[in-house]
Coordinates of all heavy atoms in Angstrom, one line a residue:
D75 N 70.3 154.4 75.8 CA 69.9 153.2 76.6 C 68.6 152.6 76.0 O 68.3 151.5 76.4 CB 69.5 153.6 78.0 CG 70.8 153.9 78.9 OD1 71.9 153.5 78.5 OD2 70.6 154.7 79.9
R76 N 68.0 153.3 75.1 CA 66.7 152.8 74.5 C 65.7 152.5 75.6 O 65.2 151.4 75.7 CB 67.0 151.6 73.6 CG 67.8 151.9 72.4 CD 67.9 150.6 71.5 NE 68.5 151.0 70.2 CZ 68.6 150.2 69.2 NH1 68.1 149.0 69.3 NH2 69.1 150.6 68.1
R77 N 65.6 153.4 76.5 CA 64.8 153.2 77.7 C 64.0 154.5 78.0 O 64.4 155.6 77.7 CB 65.7 152.8 78.9 CG 64.9 152.6 80.2 CD 65.8 151.9 81.2 NE 66.1 150.5 80.9 CZ 65.2 149.5 81.2 NH1 64.1 149.8 81.7 NH2 65.6 148.3 80.9
V78 N 62.8 154.2 78.6 CA 61.9 155.3 79.0 C 61.6 155.2 80.5 O 61.5 154.0 81.0 CB 60.6 155.3 78.2 CG1 59.5 156.2 78.8 CG2 60.8 155.7 76.7
W79 N 61.5 156.3 81.2 CA 61.1 156.3 82.6 C 59.9 157.2 82.7 O 59.9 158.3 82.1 CB 62.2 156.9 83.5 CG 63.4 156.1 83.6 CD1 63.7 155.3 84.7 CD2 64.6 156.0 82.7 NE1 65.0 154.7 84.5 CE2 65.5 155.1 83.3 CE3 64.8 156.6 81.5 CZ2 66.7 154.8 82.6 CZ3 66.0 156.3 80.8 CH2 66.9 155.4 81.4
L80 N 58.9 156.8 83.4 CA 57.8 157.6 83.8 C 58.0 158.1 85.2 O 58.1 157.3 86.1 CB 56.5 156.8 83.7 CG 56.2 156.1 82.4 CD1 54.9 155.3 82.4 CD2 56.2 157.1 81.2
V81 N 58.2 159.4 85.3 CA 58.7 160.0 86.6 C 57.6 160.8 87.2 O 57.0 161.7 86.6 CB 60.0 160.9 86.3 CG1 60.5 161.4 87.6 CG2 61.0 160.1 85.5
D82 N 57.4 160.6 88.5 CA 56.3 161.3 89.3 C 56.8 162.7 89.7 O 57.9 163.1 89.5 CB 55.8 160.5 90.4 CG 56.8 160.2 91.5 OD1 57.8 160.9 91.6 OD2 56.5 159.4 92.4
E83 N 55.9 163.4 90.4 CA 56.2 164.8 90.8 C 57.4 164.9 91.8 O 58.1 165.9 91.8 CB 55.0 165.4 91.5 CG 53.8 165.6 90.6 CD 52.9 164.4 90.6 OE1 53.2 163.3 91.1 OE2 51.9 164.5 89.9
Q84 N 57.7 163.8 92.5 CA 58.8 163.8 93.5 C 60.1 163.4 92.8 O 61.2 163.3 93.4 CB 58.5 162.9 94.6 CG 57.5 163.4 95.6 CD 56.1 163.2 95.0 OE1 55.7 162.3 94.4 NE2 55.2 164.2 95.3
G85 N 60.1 163.1 91.5 CA 61.3 162.7 90.8 C 61.6 161.2 90.8 O 62.7 160.8 90.5
K86 N 60.6 160.4 91.3 CA 60.9 159.0 91.4 C 60.2 158.3 90.1 O 59.1 158.6 89.8 CB 60.2 158.5 92.6 CG 60.4 157.0 92.8 CD 59.8 156.5 94.1 CE 60.1 155.0 94.2 NZ 59.3 154.4 95.3
A87 N 61.0 157.3 89.6 CA 60.5 156.6 88.4 C 59.4 155.6 88.9 O 59.6 154.8 89.8 CB 61.6 155.8 87.8
T88 N 58.2 155.7 88.4 CA 57.1 154.8 88.7 C 57.1 153.6 87.8 O 56.5 152.6 88.1 CB 55.8 155.5 88.6 OG1 55.6 156.0 87.3 CG2 55.7 156.7 89.6
R89 N 57.8 153.8 86.6 CA 57.9 152.6 85.7 C 59.0 153.0 84.7 O 59.2 154.1 84.4 CB 56.6 152.5 84.9 CG 56.5 151.3 84.0 CD 55.2 151.2 83.3 NE 55.1 150.0 82.5 CZ 54.3 149.0 82.8 NH1 53.5 149.0 83.9 NH2 54.2 147.9 82.1
T90 N 59.7 151.9 84.3 CA 60.7 152.1 83.3 C 60.7 150.9 82.4 O 60.3 149.8 82.8 CB 62.1 152.2 83.9 OG1 63.1 152.5 82.8 CG2 62.5 151.0 84.7
F91 N 61.0 151.1 81.1 CA 60.9 150.0 80.1 C 61.8 150.3 78.9 O 62.1 151.4 78.6 CB 59.5 149.7 79.7 CG 58.7 151.0 79.4 CD1 58.7 151.5 78.1 CD2 57.9 151.6 80.3 CE1 58.0 152.6 77.8 CE2 57.2 152.8 80.0 CZ 57.2 153.3 78.7
E92 N 62.1 149.2 78.2 CA 62.9 149.4 77.0 C 62.0 149.7 75.8 O 60.8 149.3 75.8 CB 63.7 148.1 76.7 CG 64.7 147.8 77.7 CD 65.5 146.5 77.4 OE1 64.9 145.6 76.8 OE2 66.7 146.4 77.8
V93 N 62.5 150.4 74.9 CA 61.8 150.8 73.7 C 62.7 150.5 72.5 O 63.9 150.3 72.6 CB 61.4 152.3 73.7 CG1 60.4 152.6 74.8 CG2 62.6 153.2 73.8
M94 N 62.0 150.5 71.3 CA 62.7 150.4 70.0 C 62.6 151.7 69.3 O 61.5 152.2 68.9 CB 62.1 149.3 69.2 CG 62.8 149.1 67.8 SD 64.6 148.8 67.9 CE 64.6 147.2 68.7
P95 N 63.7 152.4 69.1 CA 63.7 153.8 68.5 C 63.3 153.6 67.0 O 63.3 152.6 66.4 CB 65.1 154.3 68.6 CG 65.9 153.3 69.4 CD 65.1 152.1 69.5
S96 N 62.9 154.8 66.5 CA 62.5 154.8 65.1 C 63.7 155.2 64.2 O 64.8 155.3 64.8 CB 61.4 155.9 64.9 OG 61.8 157.1 65.4
T97 N 63.5 155.4 62.9 CA 64.6 155.7 62.1 C 65.0 157.2 62.3 O 66.2 157.6 62.0 CB 64.3 155.5 60.6 OG1 63.2 156.3 60.2 CG2 64.1 154.0 60.3
V98 N 64.1 158.0 62.7 CA 64.4 159.4 63.0 C 64.2 159.6 64.5 O 63.2 159.3 65.1 CB 63.5 160.4 62.3 CG1 63.7 161.8 62.6 CG2 63.6 160.1 60.8
S99 N 65.3 160.2 65.2 CA 65.2 160.4 66.6 C 65.2 161.9 66.9 O 65.9 162.7 66.2 CB 66.4 159.8 67.3 OG 66.4 158.4 67.2
P100 N 64.6 162.3 68.0 CA 64.6 163.7 68.4 C 65.9 164.1 69.0 O 66.6 163.2 69.6 CB 63.5 163.8 69.4 CG 63.4 162.4 70.0 CD 63.8 161.5 68.9
P101 N 66.4 165.3 68.8 CA 67.6 165.7 69.5 C 67.3 165.8 71.0 O 66.2 166.1 71.4 CB 68.0 167.0 68.9 CG 66.7 167.5 68.2 CD 65.9 166.3 67.9
P102 N 68.4 165.6 71.8 CA 68.2 165.8 73.3 C 67.6 167.2 73.5 O 67.9 168.2 72.9 CB 69.6 165.7 73.8 CG 70.3 164.8 72.9 CD 69.7 165.2 71.5
G103 N 66.6 167.2 74.5 CA 66.0 168.5 74.8 C 64.7 168.2 75.6 O 64.4 167.1 75.9
T104 N 64.0 169.3 75.9 CA 62.7 169.2 76.6 C 61.6 169.5 75.7 O 61.6 170.5 75.0 CB 62.7 170.1 77.8 OG1 63.8 169.8 78.6 CG2 61.4 170.0 78.6
Y105 N 60.6 168.7 75.7 CA 59.4 168.8 74.8 C 58.2 168.6 75.7 O 58.3 168.5 76.9 CB 59.4 167.7 73.7 CG 60.7 167.6 72.9 CD1 61.8 166.8 73.3 CD2 60.8 168.3 71.7 CE1 62.9 166.8 72.6 CE2 62.0 168.3 71.0 CZ 63.0 167.5 71.4 OH 64.2 167.5 70.7
A106 N 57.0 168.6 75.0 CA 55.8 168.4 75.8 C 54.9 167.5 74.8 O 54.9 167.7 73.6 CB 55.1 169.7 76.2
V107 N 54.0 166.7 75.4 CA 53.1 165.9 74.7 C 52.2 166.9 73.9 O 51.6 167.8 74.6 CB 52.3 165.0 75.6 CG1 51.2 164.3 74.8 CG2 53.2 164.0 76.2
T108 N 52.1 166.8 72.6 CA 51.3 167.7 71.8 C 49.9 167.1 71.4 O 48.9 167.8 71.3 CB 52.0 168.1 70.5 OG1 52.4 166.9 69.8 CG2 53.3 168.9 70.9
S109 N 49.9 165.8 71.2 CA 48.6 165.1 70.8 C 48.7 163.6 71.1 O 49.8 163.1 71.3 CB 48.3 165.4 69.3 OG 49.2 164.8 68.5

Side-chain angles (χ1 to χ4, degrees):
D75 288 337
R76 295 182 171 193
R77 181 168 286 280
V78 166
W79 291 261
L80 305 180
V81 183
D82 67 15
E83 294 87 357
Q84 289 75 39
K86 182 179 178 190
T88 60
R89 186 180 185 108
T90 184
F91 47 89
E92 292 181 333
V93 295
M94 179 57 65
S96 56
T97 60
V98 178
S99 293
T104 301
Y105 306 88
V107 175
T108 56
S109 66

